[in-house]
């Protein structure tokens, strides 16, 4: 992607620190231009603050937006929290902590007649053992449910990992959220197309086989199937093909085939 490149170009200062194979490396930039070449500045381990249960690893990016480009520099705390919460749902079993150090809350404490100032930064930590199943629970927390049990499948097909969580509510409107490599594909794409095709075909076959649809009845349409449906679909694949720089739509044909195959087998 181009995310870090764009942040670099729009920052008055940027520093990248990478902990890899026991070494800590860093490089600095000023308004997009290299200030210092990559150099090793030390060693790292799990105790150094970089993740990894057995060895230290991870990347830290520090940047300052360029005031010559932005008239107003303001970070939307709620937007950041919503995005991080979403990422935690999509990566079950992973804890993500966000600390806002811009305006600390100062709490005065009295101890033995002395006043002490204790600085507390607003902090939020997200961890979801259930992953996208927990996400569906969250989205439907105020809805009247049709099925209490959430359908879930997580399976690799043709080197593409497919995850689907699905539940129906009495709401007339359906809700579909699709992701590819944790990127929110707001316009859907091949993975969502594959799911829609597979579930429509599967439910129609089931309805006819069990007498819910008679011979003279028309098949259920895609709109019928999606009514009241809360769906999270997430695929993880190598070298995804997105349409446009905003990655709003997944264009990888193999993603459609993989999702269709998984749903046909598991649903």
């Amino acid at each position: 992607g181009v995310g870090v490149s764009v942040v670099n170009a729009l920052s008055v200062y940027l520093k990248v620190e990478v902990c890899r194979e026991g070494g800590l490396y860093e490089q600095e930039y000023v308004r997009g231009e290299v200030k210092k070449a990559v150099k090793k500045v030390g060693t790292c381990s799990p105790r150094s603050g970089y993740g990894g249960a057995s060895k230290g690893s991870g990347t830290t990016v520090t940047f300052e937006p360029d005031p010559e480009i932005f008239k107003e520099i303001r970070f939307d705390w709620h937007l950041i929290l919503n995005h991080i919460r979403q990422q935690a749902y999509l990566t079950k079993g992973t804890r993500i902590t966000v600390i806002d150090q811009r305006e600390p809350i100062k709490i005065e404490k009295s101890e033995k007649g002395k006043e002490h100032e204790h600085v507390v930064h607003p902090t939020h930590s997200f961890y979801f053992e259930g992953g996208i199943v927990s996400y569906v629970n969250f989205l439907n927390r105020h809805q009247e449910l049709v099925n209490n049990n959430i359908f879930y499948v997580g399976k690799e097909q043709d080197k593409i990992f497919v995850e689907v969580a699905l539940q129906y509510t009495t709401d007339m409107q359906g809700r579909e959220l699709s992701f590819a490599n944790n990127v929110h594909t707001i316009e859907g794409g091949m993975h969502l197309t594959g799911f829609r095709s597979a579930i429509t075909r599967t439910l129609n076959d089931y309805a006819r086989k069990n007498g819910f649809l008679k011979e003279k009845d028309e098949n259920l349409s895609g709109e019928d199937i999606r009514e009241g449906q809360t769906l999270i679909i997430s695929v993880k694949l190598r070298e995804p093909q997105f349409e446009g720089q905003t990655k709003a739509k997944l264009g990888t044909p193999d993603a459609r085939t993989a999702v269709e195959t998984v749903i046909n087998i598991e649903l």
Side-chain angles (χ1 to χ4, degrees):
V2 297
V4 174
S5 300
V6 171
V7 172
N8 189 22
L10 300 179
S11 299
V12 65
Y13 171 80
L14 183 141
K15 180 171 75 171
V16 179
E17 298 169 277
V18 177
C19 195
R20 185 173 182 180
E21 297 178 352
L24 179 60
Y25 304 84
E26 71 173 33
Q27 186 171 31
E28 298 179 56
Y29 301 81
V30 175
R31 289 196 162 90
E33 300 295 330
V34 176
K35 179 181 178 182
K36 297 179 181 178
V38 177
K39 65 177 180 179
K40 184 176 181 179
V41 295
T43 59
C44 55
S45 66
R47 293 182 178 179
S48 66
Y50 293 89
S54 59
K55 62 179 180 179
S57 63
T59 300
T60 299
V61 178
T62 305
F63 67 94
E64 180 184 349
D66 192 340
E68 293 184 3
I69 298 175
F70 299 98
K71 293 182 180 179
E72 179 185 12
I73 299 175
R74 182 178 64 88
F75 290 91
D76 189 328
W77 179 237
H78 295 290
L79 182 66
I80 293 171
L81 288 181
N82 287 336
H83 177 70
I84 296 301
R85 179 186 292 109
Q86 188 179 78
Q87 293 302 301
Y89 279 126
L90 293 168
T91 315
K92 63 181 177 180
T94 298
R95 184 177 302 278
I96 306 177
T97 302
V98 189
I99 304 173
D100 186 355
Q101 296 182 336
R102 293 173 299 176
E103 298 179 6
I105 300 173
K106 297 181 179 180
I107 302 176
E108 292 185 351
K109 291 185 176 181
S110 179
E111 183 180 345
K112 294 182 179 180
K114 296 181 180 180
E115 290 188 351
H116 296 271
E117 194 173 74
H118 181 57
V119 178
V120 178
H121 297 288
T123 302
H124 292 262
S125 186
F126 301 101
Y127 176 89
F128 303 106
E129 190 66 39
I132 62 174
V133 172
S134 299
Y135 200 176
V136 171
N137 264 323
F138 173 74
L139 294 175
N140 288 344
R141 64 194 184 280
H142 300 309
Q143 299 293 330
E144 183 179 347
L145 304 178
V146 173
N147 58 301
N148 290 320
N149 293 329
I150 298 173
F151 168 79
Y152 170 79
V153 60
K155 185 176 182 179
E156 184 172 310
Q157 179 69 36
D158 299 327
K159 298 182 179 180
I160 297 176
F161 184 67
V162 178
E163 268 193 304
V164 173
L166 171 68
Q167 188 177 45
Y168 279 91
T169 74
T170 58
D171 196 340
M172 294 292 292
Q173 298 296 321
R175 186 182 325 201
E176 296 174 321
L177 294 175
S178 64
F179 302 87
N181 291 1
N182 281 29
V183 175
H184 185 192
T185 47
I186 58 176
E187 296 179 13
M190 287 295 179
H191 52 334
L192 184 56
T193 299
F195 173 82
R196 287 177 173 178
S197 175
I199 193 173
T200 302
R201 180 173 57 252
T202 300
L203 291 185
N204 274 302
D205 289 346
Y206 177 85
R208 290 205 177 276
K209 186 180 296 183
N210 291 274
F212 296 107
L213 287 177
K214 307 302 181 182
E215 185 176 347
K216 63 180 181 179
D217 295 333
E218 294 184 357
N219 277 343
L220 298 171
S221 68
E223 287 75 15
D224 295 328
I225 300 296
R226 291 192 290 275
E227 184 177 310
Q229 179 189 90
T230 299
L231 165 72
I232 306 291
I233 178 169
S234 172
V235 295
K236 292 183 173 65
L237 65 166
R238 295 182 178 180
E239 300 181 2
Q241 301 168 15
F242 292 102
E243 297 183 12
Q245 291 292 346
T246 58
K247 301 182 179 180
K249 191 173 184 179
L250 181 66
T252 306
D254 289 346
R256 174 174 182 170
T257 305
V259 172
E260 284 185 333
T261 300
V262 170
I263 296 303
N264 288 337
I265 294 173
E266 300 294 334
L267 188 61

